[in-house]
Amino acid sequence: MTQTQVIKVSKDLLNKMDETYKKQQLNKKPPYTVFTAKVNGVTVTAYTSGKVMFQGPAAATEAARWGTALSAKKKPAASAVLPPGFDRLSVIGSDEVGNGSYFGPVTVCAAYVAADMITKLKALGVRDSKELTDDQIVKLSHSIKELIPYRLLVLEPKKYNAIQPKYNAVHMKVALHNQAIFLLLNDLAPVKPEGILIDQFTPEANYRKYVRSEKNQVAEKLHFITKGEQYHVAVAAASIICRAAFLEELDEESAELGFNVPSGAGAKSDQTAAKVLKQGGIELLSQYAKLHFANTEKAKKIAGYSN
């Protein structure tokens, strides 16, 4: 009988698992994963969040080598946090991608899905972007953008580095979400959404604290919930659009530099950043990477860069 076990591990233990399973790792690497390996009939999928999923007849045994399985958590009832029937309303959904990746931009998208478009988008295959391959995401993104109104903001690394000392990561995301929603509301006027759902990345009080410092504040009809794509297809659509934009930007960076630029912030990013430093110093690296990440100092040591 196939079993599924999920554990949560530290970054150090995740790195150790990566090394241990190196020879058993598969070539495919879905989004948000560190590695996928096949071990004694068990598929091991390690996610950047620190969660590791074991699937197979001996999943429990293999998982026990590394930690204790997490107890299953029930999805909170939507009625507890959202108005009744929220998933059938005309809603703006908002999500972001790239904040945890050393290379590439931060992309934020606000997407409006009218009630009469919900079924069509679901039939198209619009769902949680983590369940889709990169190719599926890019293809779906093009289809979605032809069907619904949206606003996409792309914060390139160079601009990110310029404003990062003033804006911490959370404040930056609040500003981007707020601006994307504000612009989309202007596009839609006089049509008004019945709700605005933000895939939650910080407590609501914190979001509202930061948004008060923004010029164009959107404060009404806001709802916040983690895994927002499970509660309205608008968030799933926004997630796919901004994920596709992030992937396309990474492809452009790779083409400009002449070698593959990885997502995430692991050892591959350190090695790639070292190559960029050797090629054009910190000035060149600042055009492609978020310099305040710890990867920068690691890359300097690898490259022997002292400036």
Side-chain angles (χ1 to χ4, degrees):
M1 181 184 292
T2 299
Q3 302 174 342
T4 298
Q5 294 279 308
V6 180
I7 64 173
K8 183 76 185 266
V9 300
S10 66
K11 187 175 180 180
D12 288 341
L13 187 53
L14 190 60
N15 289 335
K16 185 177 179 181
M17 293 177 75
D18 191 10
E19 288 299 318
T20 301
Y21 292 135
K22 190 69 73 179
K23 292 181 180 179
Q24 292 97 348
Q25 288 182 20
L26 307 178
N27 289 329
K28 68 172 186 175
K29 187 180 176 185
Y32 303 100
T33 62
V34 179
F35 68 83
T36 301
K38 195 82 171 181
V39 187
N40 300 324
V42 177
T43 300
V44 183
T45 307
Y47 295 91
T48 53
S49 64
K51 288 186 178 180
V52 185
M53 182 169 63
F54 300 80
Q55 294 174 298
T61 303
E62 192 63 31
R65 291 178 57 191
W66 304 100
T68 305
L70 297 173
S71 57
K73 293 182 180 179
K74 292 184 178 179
K75 186 175 78 172
S79 59
V81 288
L82 296 171
F86 188 85
D87 62 332
R88 300 188 297 276
L89 301 181
S90 297
V91 165
I92 286 177
S94 187
D95 201 1
E96 90 284 331
V97 171
N99 186 66
S101 180
Y102 180 57
F103 284 101
V106 175
T107 59
V108 173
C109 180
Y112 174 67
V113 177
D116 60 3
M117 286 297 297
I118 293 172
T119 301
K120 188 167 186 176
L121 287 179
K122 288 183 176 178
L124 195 64
V126 177
R127 59 188 189 279
D128 185 354
S129 64
K130 298 179 186 66
E131 299 176 2
L132 302 167
T133 66
D134 288 352
D135 288 342
Q136 287 174 321
I137 286 169
V138 172
K139 186 177 180 181
L140 259 180
S141 174
H142 293 308
S143 299
I144 294 168
K145 289 190 285 188
E146 292 176 359
L147 293 172
I148 62 171
Y150 69 95
R151 275 289 187 154
L152 172 67
L153 301 181
V154 179
L155 182 63
E156 302 285 0
K158 187 174 182 180
K159 180 72 176 293
Y160 178 102
N161 291 324
I163 66 175
Q164 187 273 324
K166 178 182 177 183
Y167 283 72
N168 64 39
V170 173
H171 191 177
M172 200 179 295
K173 285 195 286 186
V174 170
L176 289 168
H177 277 271
N178 178 75
Q179 183 67 1
I181 293 166
F182 172 78
L183 293 172
L184 183 55
L185 285 170
N186 283 350
D187 294 341
L188 293 172
V191 174
K192 292 185 179 180
E194 295 172 278
I196 300 169
L197 182 59
I198 297 173
D199 196 42
Q200 189 168 11
F201 54 87
T202 191
E204 180 177 348
N206 209 34
Y207 182 98
R208 292 187 181 277
K209 178 190 76 174
Y210 283 124
V211 87
R212 283 196 290 270
S213 66
E214 296 305 305
K215 180 181 178 182
N216 304 310
Q217 299 173 29
V218 178
E220 296 180 359
K221 297 183 180 179
L222 292 181
H223 302 279
F224 305 82
I225 193 166
T226 56
K227 301 186 186 302
E229 65 281 346
Q230 296 182 12
Y231 298 95
H232 203 286
V233 72
V235 177
S239 176
I240 289 168
I241 291 172
C242 59
R243 175 71 185 170
F246 174 77
L247 292 170
E248 287 164 357
E249 289 286 329
L250 277 189
D251 285 344
E252 285 187 20
E253 290 193 0
S254 298
E256 289 173 9
L257 289 168
F259 45 80
N260 184 58
V261 174
S263 62
K268 287 182 181 178
S269 295
D270 301 339
Q271 296 291 339
T272 303
K275 289 175 71 173
V276 179
L277 284 171
K278 290 176 181 178
Q279 187 171 308
I282 200 73
E283 185 176 341
L284 182 63
L285 185 60
S286 70
Q287 297 175 38
Y288 297 98
K290 303 173 183 75
L291 295 182
H292 71 101
F293 278 40
N295 302 80
T296 301
E297 293 306 314
K298 293 177 184 177
K300 285 180 179 179
K301 289 179 181 178
I302 294 169
Y305 185 85
S306 56
N307 289 353

